[in-house]
Each structure stands twice: as structure tokens, then as C-alpha cells.
Amino acid sequence: MPGRGAGASASGKGLARRRRRRWVRGGGLVIALGLVAAVGTGWVLYAKLDANITPDEAAAAELARYEKERPTSLVKGAQNILLIGSDTRSGDDNDDYGRDSGTERSDTTILLHLAADRRTATAISLPRDLMVDVPACLRADGSRSEPMFAMFNYAFQMGGSGCTIRTVEKLTDIRVDHHVVVDFHGFKEMVDAVDGVQVCLRSPIDDKAAKLKLPAGRVTLDGEQALGYVRARKTLGDGSDTDRMDRQQRFLGALVNKVQSNDVLLNPVKLYPVLDAATSSLTTDPDLASLRGLYQLVRGLRDIPTERVQFLTVPRESYVYNANRDQLVEPEAEKLFERLRRDAPLAVAEEVPRDSATKSGNLTGSYDYWEYERDDGKSRGKRGDEPSNSTSPAPTFRGSTAAEDTCE
């Protein structure tokens, strides 16, 4: 019987090769199992986030019923999203803010316009006390309301997001492509998920109704404090709803800054809680009610510079029959809506210069609109007269951008 060579020796190269092969096979199995586990975990997390979002089927059915009367989109690629802050007292933790009466109103409503080229985003606050025509809407109990002239936030109480969308479309003649509803609890969770949002207070706050006691200067608000800050009305600023909307816009600008920072978007440990909080708090139209739908919407937004994320309030003034209500200032409001319909540019500034020959006038104590002239020297005409690629300067509205520092 021939003897074993060195290659077959228990201490030779053959054994070393066999051990290396076993290690490679074993290591490969461990890596494979790790990948399977990672994929499985990733799928579980994806499925959880995906299932968090509530599709608003009732609103979709209501809008489909009235599809023929809805406005059409004029510019391909441009999108309008209605953001609704619900003041419902039902659900987790929401009863901390009052008794649940079984109804809810839109505490905050913002029409967000995304330009077709995704170079700008413009958020327009719609006052809750604005007097508008509310159409006949489907109530939660299955009955239908009568058309009425009422405060804007009555639409949400009467017929939810579907009624609110129809009211906005009737008011502006702008097609609402998507909508998102967030309640008190969801708002707090999102702020806490980003470890708070920094704002700048020009004076100290001691507001018992809002449960706020804060020093002047730069302050990082947690979710509870942020909710009080954006909802307070009677003891902050001049007590007006206009001042409250300005405060909401400044806070949203600060929130945009925080979420866009690399500290959040590039850190999975921080990003997942943000996604979990955001998706858990959302009720959206069915097309957005998935991670894929939301990703399709926001993927073009991440590169918009903060100085091109604009905030303003629709031109408004005190209602002629009730100083505690609002009405649109015309024709300025229509000029704003017309620019959004055509995806035409506009600009915002905290202080609008008062020495321009083309100024159309001081509309209210807090709102200015600037009208421009066309290249031929004539004033801007009706809808469609001016091409969307006009080189004329864009009209400037009183407002702010997400890049502004209120401490400066």
C-alpha cells in the first residue's frame, strides 16, 4: 500500500486547503444568512412603514363622483398638494387638547405647489376663517349637506378632506392632485423624531393656554412645545390669525431645514424614526398611501434649495360684515391663483419696497402685491396673455423662505 504524500498529510498543504474550503463555505453561509436576515428585516421595516399610511378612500370616491366639475391641470409635471392639519380630539393623545365632540375641523390648511421643473416649492396658507362657498358634501353619516357660504374650515367638519378639496378647487380653480391629513399626535411625533426643531424667539413666551414658557433667542422645541407654538393665537404676537399663520410658516421652514440636513437624511438610525412617525400620522389619497407613492412625490424635492421653498398667505382682509372673519382681496387673489395654475414664477419678501411705480397697492396691513409690466410696456393681461417663459420679473408677495433666519 503506497504511503500518503505530503499533500495528504494531516499536517500538510492538503489539509490546509480543505480547512480553507470549509471556512469559505461556512463563511459564505454566514454571509448569505446575514444577507437574508438583512433583506428580511428590511422588508419587515418597509412593510411596516408602508402599512402605516391610511388611504383616504372616502375622499377618493367623493372626488370621483364630481370629476366632471373639477378643474383640469394646465401644466404637465406641476403638482398641487393640499396639506390639512386636523384638530380632531379623537385617537392617541389627541384628547389632551379638548373634548372629543365627534367632529373635526381643519386647524391649518396649506396649498403646496411644486413647480414642474422641481426648482421651487410654494406653500400658501388658507385662513380657516376665510368666508367661502362650501358645496354640498357627503357627511360621515351618509347624508348630504346643503351648499352654503361659511368659514373655510367648516368644509372639513362637514365632509372631511373630500369636501375641503372641492371647496379649494371651487375657490381657486386649481386642480388638487394629492392631499395629506395630519393630526395633533402625528405632528408632535414628527417633531420629536427629528430631535426637535430650532426657532428664534424675539421675546420670551409665557402662554398658559398653549402651555409654553420659553426664553427669547434660539430655542429647540420638542413636539409638545412645537404644537403649542404653531397653534397659539390669543397671547402670542398680535393675537391675529395672520400672525399665527406667519408663525406656522416660519416653523415649517425650520422643519424643512432640519429634515434636509445630512444629520437626518444620511443617518439611518435617525431616518427610520422620522419615516415611522411621518407615515404613522398620515392619511392620504390612495395614490400617495404607500412608500412608493410618497417616494415618487418627494424624490424631486430633496434638491430644492431652501431659499426656493417659499411661504405666503393668500391675499385676505377682514370680511366686510364681520371683522372676525376674512375675505379674499380681489383681483390680487385671482392673480396669485392664476400664476399657480400656469406654473408661473413668483417671489416672496418679508418687506416689499414701497417706491416702485408698478406697485398695485398695500392690500392689507400685512400683505403686499407687486404687479409688473410686460416687455411691450403694457400691463399684464388676462389669463393666457403672457407666455410661461416670460422674462418679465415675477410678482413679489409678502412672505418668507425656508432659508431665512428670523434671528437676523
Side-chain angles (χ1 to χ4, degrees), residues 44-55 279-280 282 289-291:
V44 169
L45 296 179
Y46 179 92
K48 180 181 184 301
L49 294 175
D50 199 60
N52 280 346
I53 309 169
T54 302
T279 54
S280 296
L282 300 184
S290 67
L291 285 182

PDB file of all heavy atoms in Angstrom, residues 44-55 279-280 282 289-291:
ATOM      1  N   VAL A  44     -39.449  43.719   6.405  1.00  0.00           N
ATOM      2  CA  VAL A  44     -40.356  43.900   7.540  1.00  0.00           C
ATOM      3  C   VAL A  44     -40.527  45.393   7.840  1.00  0.00           C
ATOM      4  O   VAL A  44     -41.645  45.883   8.042  1.00  0.00           O
ATOM      5  CB  VAL A  44     -39.844  43.156   8.790  1.00  0.00           C
ATOM      6  CG1 VAL A  44     -40.635  43.564  10.025  1.00  0.00           C
ATOM      7  CG2 VAL A  44     -39.935  41.655   8.587  1.00  0.00           C
ATOM      8  N   LEU A  45     -39.397  46.125   7.863  1.00  0.00           N
ATOM      9  CA  LEU A  45     -39.467  47.560   8.130  1.00  0.00           C
ATOM     10  C   LEU A  45     -40.216  48.289   7.023  1.00  0.00           C
ATOM     11  O   LEU A  45     -41.035  49.179   7.290  1.00  0.00           O
ATOM     12  CB  LEU A  45     -38.057  48.137   8.273  1.00  0.00           C
ATOM     13  CG  LEU A  45     -37.233  47.623   9.456  1.00  0.00           C
ATOM     14  CD1 LEU A  45     -35.853  48.262   9.462  1.00  0.00           C
ATOM     15  CD2 LEU A  45     -37.949  47.900  10.779  1.00  0.00           C
ATOM     16  N   TYR A  46     -39.946  47.895   5.775  1.00  0.00           N
ATOM     17  CA  TYR A  46     -40.641  48.521   4.643  1.00  0.00           C
ATOM     18  C   TYR A  46     -42.138  48.270   4.746  1.00  0.00           C
ATOM     19  O   TYR A  46     -42.950  49.181   4.566  1.00  0.00           O
ATOM     20  CB  TYR A  46     -40.097  47.958   3.326  1.00  0.00           C
ATOM     21  CG  TYR A  46     -40.782  48.521   2.099  1.00  0.00           C
ATOM     22  CD1 TYR A  46     -40.270  49.642   1.452  1.00  0.00           C
ATOM     23  CD2 TYR A  46     -41.944  47.935   1.591  1.00  0.00           C
ATOM     24  CE1 TYR A  46     -40.894  50.167   0.330  1.00  0.00           C
ATOM     25  CE2 TYR A  46     -42.583  48.462   0.474  1.00  0.00           C
ATOM     26  CZ  TYR A  46     -42.049  49.572  -0.155  1.00  0.00           C
ATOM     27  OH  TYR A  46     -42.681  50.093  -1.248  1.00  0.00           O
ATOM     28  N   ALA A  47     -42.497  46.997   5.022  1.00  0.00           N
ATOM     29  CA  ALA A  47     -43.914  46.643   5.125  1.00  0.00           C
ATOM     30  C   ALA A  47     -44.592  47.413   6.251  1.00  0.00           C
ATOM     31  O   ALA A  47     -45.740  47.845   6.126  1.00  0.00           O
ATOM     32  CB  ALA A  47     -44.063  45.135   5.338  1.00  0.00           C
ATOM     33  N   LYS A  48     -43.866  47.581   7.366  1.00  0.00           N
ATOM     34  CA  LYS A  48     -44.435  48.319   8.498  1.00  0.00           C
ATOM     35  C   LYS A  48     -44.692  49.775   8.121  1.00  0.00           C
ATOM     36  O   LYS A  48     -45.780  50.313   8.366  1.00  0.00           O
ATOM     37  CB  LYS A  48     -43.503  48.261   9.704  1.00  0.00           C
ATOM     38  CG  LYS A  48     -44.036  49.009  10.938  1.00  0.00           C
ATOM     39  CD  LYS A  48     -43.044  48.933  12.083  1.00  0.00           C
ATOM     40  CE  LYS A  48     -43.624  49.595  13.338  1.00  0.00           C
ATOM     41  NZ  LYS A  48     -43.963  51.015  13.124  1.00  0.00           N
ATOM     42  N   LEU A  49     -43.688  50.422   7.505  1.00  0.00           N
ATOM     43  CA  LEU A  49     -43.851  51.807   7.111  1.00  0.00           C
ATOM     44  C   LEU A  49     -44.951  51.947   6.062  1.00  0.00           C
ATOM     45  O   LEU A  49     -45.750  52.881   6.097  1.00  0.00           O
ATOM     46  CB  LEU A  49     -42.535  52.357   6.557  1.00  0.00           C
ATOM     47  CG  LEU A  49     -41.375  52.468   7.545  1.00  0.00           C
ATOM     48  CD1 LEU A  49     -40.112  52.913   6.818  1.00  0.00           C
ATOM     49  CD2 LEU A  49     -41.702  53.435   8.667  1.00  0.00           C
ATOM     50  N   ASP A  50     -44.978  50.998   5.131  1.00  0.00           N
ATOM     51  CA  ASP A  50     -45.968  51.034   4.060  1.00  0.00           C
ATOM     52  C   ASP A  50     -47.381  50.913   4.624  1.00  0.00           C
ATOM     53  O   ASP A  50     -48.312  51.591   4.166  1.00  0.00           O
ATOM     54  CB  ASP A  50     -45.693  49.905   3.071  1.00  0.00           C
ATOM     55  CG  ASP A  50     -46.365  50.127   1.724  1.00  0.00           C
ATOM     56  OD1 ASP A  50     -46.067  51.150   1.073  1.00  0.00           O
ATOM     57  OD2 ASP A  50     -47.192  49.289   1.331  1.00  0.00           O
ATOM     58  N   ALA A  51     -47.534  50.042   5.635  1.00  0.00           N
ATOM     59  CA  ALA A  51     -48.854  49.812   6.221  1.00  0.00           C
ATOM     60  C   ALA A  51     -49.280  50.930   7.156  1.00  0.00           C
ATOM     61  O   ALA A  51     -50.462  51.030   7.518  1.00  0.00           O
ATOM     62  CB  ALA A  51     -48.863  48.478   6.974  1.00  0.00           C
ATOM     63  N   ASN A  52     -48.331  51.775   7.565  1.00  0.00           N
ATOM     64  CA  ASN A  52     -48.657  52.871   8.477  1.00  0.00           C
ATOM     65  C   ASN A  52     -49.620  53.881   7.860  1.00  0.00           C
ATOM     66  O   ASN A  52     -50.443  54.476   8.542  1.00  0.00           O
ATOM     67  CB  ASN A  52     -47.390  53.622   8.894  1.00  0.00           C
ATOM     68  CG  ASN A  52     -46.613  52.913   9.986  1.00  0.00           C
ATOM     69  OD1 ASN A  52     -47.125  51.996  10.615  1.00  0.00           O
ATOM     70  ND2 ASN A  52     -45.387  53.348  10.213  1.00  0.00           N
ATOM     71  N   ILE A  53     -49.476  54.114   6.558  1.00  0.00           N
ATOM     72  CA  ILE A  53     -50.216  55.175   5.885  1.00  0.00           C
ATOM     73  C   ILE A  53     -51.668  54.753   5.670  1.00  0.00           C
ATOM     74  O   ILE A  53     -51.945  53.653   5.199  1.00  0.00           O
ATOM     75  CB  ILE A  53     -49.564  55.514   4.538  1.00  0.00           C
ATOM     76  CG1 ILE A  53     -48.062  55.757   4.723  1.00  0.00           C
ATOM     77  CG2 ILE A  53     -50.221  56.740   3.909  1.00  0.00           C
ATOM     78  CD1 ILE A  53     -47.287  55.837   3.432  1.00  0.00           C
ATOM     79  N   THR A  54     -52.597  55.644   5.999  1.00  0.00           N
ATOM     80  CA  THR A  54     -54.023  55.355   5.845  1.00  0.00           C
ATOM     81  C   THR A  54     -54.535  55.946   4.535  1.00  0.00           C
ATOM     82  O   THR A  54     -54.463  57.167   4.337  1.00  0.00           O
ATOM     83  CB  THR A  54     -54.823  55.955   7.008  1.00  0.00           C
ATOM     84  OG1 THR A  54     -54.329  55.433   8.240  1.00  0.00           O
ATOM     85  CG2 THR A  54     -56.296  55.634   6.871  1.00  0.00           C
ATOM     86  N   PRO A  55     -55.053  55.120   3.613  1.00  0.00           N
ATOM     87  CA  PRO A  55     -55.602  55.660   2.363  1.00  0.00           C
ATOM     88  C   PRO A  55     -56.974  56.282   2.589  1.00  0.00           C
ATOM     89  O   PRO A  55     -57.818  55.723   3.288  1.00  0.00           O
ATOM     90  CB  PRO A  55     -55.685  54.426   1.456  1.00  0.00           C
ATOM     91  CG  PRO A  55     -55.823  53.274   2.410  1.00  0.00           C
ATOM     92  CD  PRO A  55     -55.056  53.650   3.649  1.00  0.00           C
ATOM     93  N   THR A 279     -45.121  58.450   8.515  1.00  0.00           N
ATOM     94  CA  THR A 279     -46.114  57.590   7.883  1.00  0.00           C
ATOM     95  C   THR A 279     -47.246  57.225   8.836  1.00  0.00           C
ATOM     96  O   THR A 279     -48.396  57.077   8.408  1.00  0.00           O
ATOM     97  CB  THR A 279     -45.452  56.300   7.346  1.00  0.00           C
ATOM     98  OG1 THR A 279     -44.732  55.656   8.414  1.00  0.00           O
ATOM     99  CG2 THR A 279     -44.502  56.607   6.217  1.00  0.00           C
ATOM    100  N   SER A 280     -46.950  57.102  10.132  1.00  0.00           N
ATOM    101  CA  SER A 280     -47.990  56.741  11.094  1.00  0.00           C
ATOM    102  C   SER A 280     -49.029  57.834  11.243  1.00  0.00           C
ATOM    103  O   SER A 280     -50.155  57.582  11.660  1.00  0.00           O
ATOM    104  CB  SER A 280     -47.368  56.450  12.467  1.00  0.00           C
ATOM    105  OG  SER A 280     -46.520  55.329  12.411  1.00  0.00           O
ATOM    106  N   LEU A 282     -50.106  59.939   8.816  1.00  0.00           N
ATOM    107  CA  LEU A 282     -50.670  60.417   7.563  1.00  0.00           C
ATOM    108  C   LEU A 282     -51.928  59.675   7.123  1.00  0.00           C
ATOM    109  O   LEU A 282     -52.013  58.461   7.200  1.00  0.00           O
ATOM    110  CB  LEU A 282     -49.634  60.295   6.434  1.00  0.00           C
ATOM    111  CG  LEU A 282     -48.328  61.069   6.595  1.00  0.00           C
ATOM    112  CD1 LEU A 282     -47.478  60.893   5.339  1.00  0.00           C
ATOM    113  CD2 LEU A 282     -48.588  62.532   6.862  1.00  0.00           C
ATOM    114  N   ALA A 289     -50.711  56.682  -0.680  1.00  0.00           N
ATOM    115  CA  ALA A 289     -50.779  55.855   0.534  1.00  0.00           C
ATOM    116  C   ALA A 289     -49.854  54.642   0.482  1.00  0.00           C
ATOM    117  O   ALA A 289     -50.249  53.512   0.752  1.00  0.00           O
ATOM    118  CB  ALA A 289     -52.216  55.404   0.779  1.00  0.00           C
ATOM    119  N   SER A 290     -48.614  54.871   0.124  1.00  0.00           N
ATOM    120  CA  SER A 290     -47.589  53.826   0.123  1.00  0.00           C
ATOM    121  C   SER A 290     -46.235  54.512   0.108  1.00  0.00           C
ATOM    122  O   SER A 290     -46.120  55.680  -0.284  1.00  0.00           O
ATOM    123  CB  SER A 290     -47.721  52.917  -1.107  1.00  0.00           C
ATOM    124  OG  SER A 290     -47.414  53.630  -2.291  1.00  0.00           O
ATOM    125  N   LEU A 291     -45.194  53.791   0.523  1.00  0.00           N
ATOM    126  CA  LEU A 291     -43.854  54.365   0.470  1.00  0.00           C
ATOM    127  C   LEU A 291     -43.463  54.703  -0.963  1.00  0.00           C
ATOM    128  O   LEU A 291     -42.802  55.706  -1.219  1.00  0.00           O
ATOM    129  CB  LEU A 291     -42.843  53.394   1.075  1.00  0.00           C
ATOM    130  CG  LEU A 291     -42.838  53.281   2.603  1.00  0.00           C
ATOM    131  CD1 LEU A 291     -41.742  52.319   3.039  1.00  0.00           C
ATOM    132  CD2 LEU A 291     -42.633  54.641   3.252  1.00  0.00           C
TER     133      LEU A 291
END
